[in-house]
Amino acid sequence: MENRWKINKIGLLNYWWYDEEEFDFYDGKLILRGTNGSGKSVTMQSFIPLILDGNKSPDRLDPFGSKERKIEDYIIGNSETIQKEEAISYLYMEVKKDNNYITIGLGFRGRKGKPVESWGFALKDGKRIGKDFYLYKDPANKVPLSKNELKSRLGTINEFTDTTKEYKSMVNRLLFGFPNLDTYD
């Protein structure tokens, strides 16, 4: 048996075209099917690099390598979509090793005309999003937790980060164990 973390599921909450979506992996693998233009590449390209290091730069978010797409387009929309005045979004990745789970994630608050605020978190206590931990104030109404509400709910065992560098360092420490962030990059 391999002794490494494998992706078990990824989730998006109030992000891009998704109100709430989870993608389950089988033994660390996922197959996405759909017609051309249905969003497979955009979803994975914007998701996987972003969740692993928190880097929100436009050239990392666009599957075609342009700098056209910005993080605010995924959070509050753009000129081609319905644009919101304000929104909170979450991305998360649950990993599994043996019967242990860790979830890493990013939260975003977008407001029209202002830079997107972001934060990171890790559930290390084995709780799982959608099962015994929710990113909503009230799961019935599906209003996402604010940054401070999430921080408060995490408790002392789990982790919260305010900066991209802290987030990347946390992900490296919890999942990969490279000796420094240059090697992780």
Side-chain angles (χ1 to χ4, degrees), residues 15-168:
Y15 183 83
W16 193 43
W17 291 346
Y18 302 101
D19 293 329
E20 180 179 28
E21 190 69 46
E22 283 187 345
F23 298 95
D24 292 313
F25 285 62
Y26 175 74
D27 195 32
K29 298 170 185 76
L30 171 72
I31 295 176
L32 289 178
R33 293 178 41 196
T35 60
N36 288 345
S38 65
K40 300 175 304 292
S41 297
V42 172
T43 300
M44 289 299 110
Q45 181 68 22
S46 71
F47 189 90
I48 297 294
L50 180 58
I51 199 73
L52 292 176
D53 68 8
N55 181 346
K56 303 179 296 290
S57 63
D59 58 329
R60 295 282 308 284
L61 297 174
D62 192 322
F64 308 107
S66 79
K67 295 184 181 190
E68 301 287 315
R69 233 169 262 227
K70 297 176 177 47
I71 192 68
E72 48 264 45
D73 298 339
Y74 294 106
I75 310 303
I76 61 170
N78 60 25
S79 60
E80 298 171 10
T81 63
I82 297 172
Q83 199 169 33
K84 306 170 196 169
E85 290 294 317
E86 181 175 350
I88 293 177
S89 302
Y90 282 96
L91 302 175
Y92 59 91
M93 176 186 288
E94 178 185 275
V95 295
K96 180 181 179 184
K97 180 169 44 171
D98 302 322
N99 284 323
N100 299 309
Y101 295 91
I102 291 178
T103 300
I104 58 170
L106 291 165
F108 303 96
R109 180 179 179 211
R111 293 177 290 169
K112 200 171 186 179
K114 297 193 177 183
V116 171
E117 180 183 4
S118 65
W119 55 92
F121 68 93
L123 297 176
K124 304 185 313 184
D125 60 4
K127 288 187 178 171
R128 301 175 66 199
I129 294 176
K131 298 198 182 318
D132 46 17
F133 191 93
Y134 295 90
L135 295 171
Y136 298 117
K137 297 176 187 190
D138 170 12
N141 294 320
K142 298 193 177 188
V143 175
L145 294 172
S146 70
K147 174 181 178 177
N148 290 332
E149 290 165 334
L150 173 70
K151 190 174 184 178
S152 174
R153 284 203 186 166
L154 288 173
T156 56
I157 294 172
N158 299 308
E159 295 187 37
F160 180 87
T161 65
D162 274 314
T163 69
T164 300
K165 186 175 181 179
E166 289 171 346
Y167 178 77
K168 187 188 325 187

